[in-house]
């Protein structure tokens, strides 16, 4: 099957129907294993103690908050460059999920910060840039709802998404470019992770579980969006027939 | 169970569960609503087509 075949909503729908049960099963298994490892196998941190358990939700959520936006950026390119019909559907479905995972990162980070830093919030570069990402998600969701015609909404949001993607490298490198209260990167480093393997493996398995969860929710949201567009198309068709009948009757 | 900061850990994980459950519920309700709307519209369309082709 070629990628272009998935542009057909029926083909896409059939494929996701077959994929979703497997994805849901894999998500439950991996998330369960990640939670078990995080809570019952991974040791307490020598400095942070048991509060490090928050990391197993905070870090995957933060990664997914950024991953969702990176995916939306690719989808925005898909809308402009390849004009793939599912690009906008994918971006629109990913936005609320990205917003939720970013919100989870903000809440869990704040609850981790209080016992470790003595405060829930500081306006440092990392925290502020992630808050901006969350606000951008909300703005994009509002824009999709404000423009009624899907093709126009797709173009308008794609432009905003592409402009907003400048925030992704800022989030990633904020801890290197500025002095932040947030700790520097400890997993995705060129010289290898600085985190101990006894915590790294539970974190990676937890991250895989959260990513599978995101993928499952994203596919369901895409299917919903396709149905919403079909409902809209049928309503527009019915309304135009009604208008045509009125014109004929008055003529 | 998780030391002096167990309250923070539990609230953090509770927030994760509540938010993900809320998204799941929203998707489920949205899907049910759309399935019903689509079925109604397609049935209306089918009635119209069969009506227009009737002798």
């Amino acid at each position: 099957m070629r990628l272009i075949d998935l542009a057909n909503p029926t083909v896409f729908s059939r494929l996701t129907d077959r994929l979703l049960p497997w994805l849901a099963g894999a998500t439950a298994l991996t998330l369960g294993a990640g939670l078990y490892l995080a809570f019952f196998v991974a040791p307490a941190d020598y400095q942070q103690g048991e509060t490090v358990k928050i990391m197993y939700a905070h870090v995957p959520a933060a990664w997914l908050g950024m991953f969702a936006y990176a995916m939306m950026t690719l989808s925005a390119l898909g809308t402009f460059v390849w004009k793939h019909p599912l690009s906008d559907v994918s971006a629109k479905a990913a936005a609320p999920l990205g917003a939720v995972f970013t919100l989870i990162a903000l809440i869990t980070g704040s609850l981790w910060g209080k016992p470790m830093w003595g405060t829930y919030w500081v306006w440092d570069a990392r925290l502020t840039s992630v808050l901006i990402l969350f606000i951008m998600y909300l703005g994009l969701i509002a824009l999709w709802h404000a423009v009624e015609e899907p093709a126009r909404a797709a173009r308008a949001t794609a432009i905003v998404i592409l402009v907003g993607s400048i925030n992704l490298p800022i989030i990633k490198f904020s801890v290197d470019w500025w002095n932040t209260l947030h700790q520097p990167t400890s997993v995705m480093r060129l010289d290898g992770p600085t985190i101990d393997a006894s915590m790294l493996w539970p974190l990676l398995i937890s991250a895989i579980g959260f990513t599978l969860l995101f993928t499952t929710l994203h596919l369901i949201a895409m299917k919903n969006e396709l149905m919403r567009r079909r409902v809209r198309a049928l309503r527009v068709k019915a309304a135009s027939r009604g208008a045509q009948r009125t014109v004929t009757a008055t003529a | 169970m998780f030391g002096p900061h167990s309250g923070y850990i539990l609230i953090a994980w509770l927030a994760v569960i509540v938010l993900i459950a809320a998204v799941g519920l929203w998707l489920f309700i949205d899907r049910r609503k759309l399935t019903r709307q689509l079925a109604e519209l397609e049935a209306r369309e089918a009635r119209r087509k069969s009506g227009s082709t009737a002798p």
Side-chain angles (χ1 to χ4, degrees), chain B:
Chain B
M1 186 182 178
F2 298 115
H5 302 306
S6 53
Y8 292 105
I9 300 168
L10 292 177
I11 295 171
W13 275 96
L14 195 68
V16 174
I17 292 165
V18 167
L19 283 170
I20 289 173
V23 174
L25 190 68
W26 165 64
L27 286 174
F28 176 74
I29 292 171
D30 195 31
R31 184 170 182 73
R32 268 182 56 164
K33 185 188 81 184
L34 289 165
T35 308
R36 200 183 56 239
Q37 286 176 349
L38 196 58
E40 277 172 17
L41 285 164
E42 280 178 343
R44 205 180 299 168
E45 182 76 5
R47 273 200 305 273
R48 190 193 65 80
K49 275 187 181 159
S50 65
S52 64
T53 53

Side-chain angles (χ1 to χ4, degrees), chain A residues 186-211:
Chain A
S186 49
V187 180
M188 290 178 183
R189 295 163 59 100
L190 288 175
D191 53 350
T194 54
I195 183 171
D196 190 75
S198 59
M199 292 178 186
L200 181 64
W201 280 108
L203 176 62
L204 291 180
I205 289 169
S206 186
I208 293 170
F210 273 97
T211 309

Side-chain angles (χ1 to χ4, degrees), chain A residues 79-91:
Chain A
T79 301
F80 278 129
V81 182
W82 302 289
K83 303 199 187 318
H84 195 286
L86 282 181
S87 290
D88 179 55
V89 173
S90 166

Side-chain angles (χ1 to χ4, degrees), chain A residues 139-154:
Chain A
L140 283 165
I141 293 167
L143 187 57
W144 260 301
H145 281 92
V147 184
E148 207 180 317
E149 211 256 302
R152 282 184 58 208

Side-chain angles (χ1 to χ4, degrees), chain A residues 35 39-40 50-51 53 57 97 100 104 108 111 114-115 120 213 217 221 223-224 227-228 230-231 234-235 237 241, chain B residues 1-3 5 8-9 11-13 15-16 19-20 23-24 26-27 30-31 33-35 37-38 41-42 45 48:
Chain A
L35 278 174
F39 277 91
F40 302 108
E50 295 286 358
T51 49
K53 305 274 182 235
L97 302 177
V100 165
I104 289 174
T108 52
L111 286 161
K114 180 64 180 166
Y120 286 108
L213 175 69
L217 294 173
K223 282 191 67 157
N224 284 6
M227 281 168 79
R228 197 181 333 279
R230 172 99 181 115
V231 165
L234 285 172
R235 279 188 177 149
K237 205 170 154 186
R241 258 200 317 270
Chain B
M1 186 182 178
F2 298 115
H5 302 306
Y8 292 105
I9 300 168
I11 295 171
W13 275 96
V16 174
L19 283 170
I20 289 173
V23 174
W26 165 64
L27 286 174
D30 195 31
R31 184 170 182 73
K33 185 188 81 184
L34 289 165
T35 308
Q37 286 176 349
L38 196 58
L41 285 164
E42 280 178 343
E45 182 76 5
R48 190 193 65 80

